[in-house]
Amino acid sequence: NQIIVNEPLSKEEFEELVKKCSHDSKNWLMYVQFYVNQAEIEKAKEICNRALEAISYREEKHKLRIWIKLLNIEYKHGTMESLDELFKQALKCNDELKLYQAMIKIYEDDKKFEPVELLYKELIKKFSMSKQVWIDFGHFYMKRNFKDLFRKLYQRCINTLDKTDHIDISSKFAQLEFQFGEIERGKSLFESIIVEHPKRCDIWSVYIDMMVKYGISQSSKYVTDV
């Protein structure tokens, strides 16, 4: 059972709390933050490492949360070399994709976009058959207004992914064109899907939703014919 406590807590109260519920990452993270707030960074890292030892290997989500906190601390208070070393260590103990996503968020939150791009490039090598990785990378490029890189990435993912994934990935990239790029390109992508798969009602629905959302008149002969 989760133990609900009121902050602030003393060191002694935190010790009592983590003893009673040692597998709950929330309690450990509160304890870690207690030391971070006091600028006792080494002590905060020590608590993270204690948490990793105490939390069962079966509790993957809880362990991952501790690793992410440790990476955040290292990012803010360590060096790029120490962060890279910790990241490599963390990769051996966690779901690689989730850890990459966490590291990307750390950099994005600090508006450090160059390392984000490098991490995405590593991701599409490691997880080249993951649609979501390609979509997330595409989203990153479009948010940065790198439209040419976005479109080159789309061609790469089409050349890489199974044909069974092409409809879904094209729909997602078309939506990103509507949202951040050129609406006409988004329309062209949707209509190319519709020409080949006219009975895909889900694609029709998304396309029409995009047209309505962005105030585009239904000038397409395909939409008009519905």
Side-chain angles (χ1 to χ4, degrees):
N1 294 329
Q2 191 176 37
I3 298 172
I4 300 173
V5 295
N6 295 316
E7 290 188 86
L9 296 173
S10 67
K11 172 188 171 182
E12 290 72 24
E13 288 174 308
F14 271 119
E15 286 291 340
E16 187 66 25
L17 180 64
V18 295
K19 283 178 184 176
K20 288 180 179 178
C21 199
S22 62
H23 296 306
D24 188 347
S25 59
K26 182 180 178 181
N27 297 331
W28 285 104
L29 290 171
M30 288 169 59
Y31 196 4
V32 172
Q33 194 60 40
F34 171 77
Y35 281 114
V36 170
N37 292 343
Q38 298 181 50
E40 294 191 47
I41 304 306
E42 291 306 313
K43 194 68 179 175
K45 291 181 186 179
E46 180 186 318
I47 301 301
C48 283
N49 288 315
R50 279 181 57 194
L52 290 172
E53 289 181 9
I55 297 171
S56 168
Y57 70 91
R58 297 184 183 88
E59 303 288 350
E60 293 179 7
K61 288 182 181 179
H62 287 279
K63 277 188 171 289
L64 178 62
R65 287 171 192 156
I66 301 296
W67 277 108
I68 291 171
K69 183 65 173 179
L70 201 49
L71 286 166
N72 268 287
I73 292 171
E74 200 63 42
Y75 177 73
K76 292 175 182 175
H77 302 282
T79 64
M80 293 310 295
E81 291 76 17
S82 64
L83 178 65
D84 184 58
E85 191 62 35
L86 182 64
F87 183 60
K88 288 176 181 175
Q89 182 185 350
L91 283 172
K92 297 175 183 177
C93 309
N94 296 276
D95 181 299
E96 284 195 351
L97 179 55
K98 289 178 181 177
L99 203 72
Y100 267 95
Q101 290 168 337
M103 198 69 236
I104 284 168
K105 186 178 187 305
I106 289 172
Y107 282 121
E108 280 195 314
D109 286 348
D110 200 31
K111 301 188 186 307
K112 295 290 192 296
F113 301 123
E114 188 175 333
V116 171
E117 183 181 17
L118 293 174
L119 286 171
Y120 271 123
K121 286 180 177 179
E122 288 181 28
L123 266 184
I124 59 171
K125 288 180 182 178
K126 286 177 172 281
F127 301 95
S128 61
M129 304 312 290
S130 167
K131 287 186 292 184
Q132 194 58 51
V133 167
W134 291 99
I135 293 164
D136 289 345
F137 196 3
H139 190 226
F140 166 77
Y141 272 149
M142 270 306 201
K143 283 194 300 182
R144 306 277 77 74
N145 202 32
F146 296 151
K147 295 184 180 70
D148 288 342
L149 291 173
F150 169 84
R151 287 158 193 156
K152 288 177 183 176
L153 185 73
Y154 171 67
Q155 289 304 319
R156 280 185 63 193
C157 79
I158 287 296
N159 293 334
T160 303
L161 291 170
D162 291 334
K163 286 187 177 181
T164 54
D165 292 323
H166 286 186
I167 297 173
D168 289 339
I169 202 77
S170 295
S171 173
K172 291 294 185 182
F173 272 71
Q175 290 172 64
L176 288 170
E177 283 284 6
F178 268 90
Q179 188 175 359
F180 299 105
E182 298 173 19
I183 286 172
E184 285 303 317
R185 284 180 177 269
K187 287 170 64 178
S188 295
L189 268 176
F190 272 119
E191 292 183 0
S192 66
I193 303 170
I194 288 166
V195 167
E196 293 186 23
H197 307 277
K199 295 183 180 180
R200 283 292 297 265
C201 295
D202 56 330
I203 301 299
W204 278 109
S205 179
V206 173
Y207 182 23
I208 293 170
D209 283 348
M210 288 291 102
M211 297 284 276
V212 171
K213 182 176 180 179
Y214 292 93
I216 311 301
S217 62
Q218 296 181 357
S219 57
S220 163
K221 68 186 182 74
Y222 303 109
V223 177
T224 304
D225 289 344
V226 175

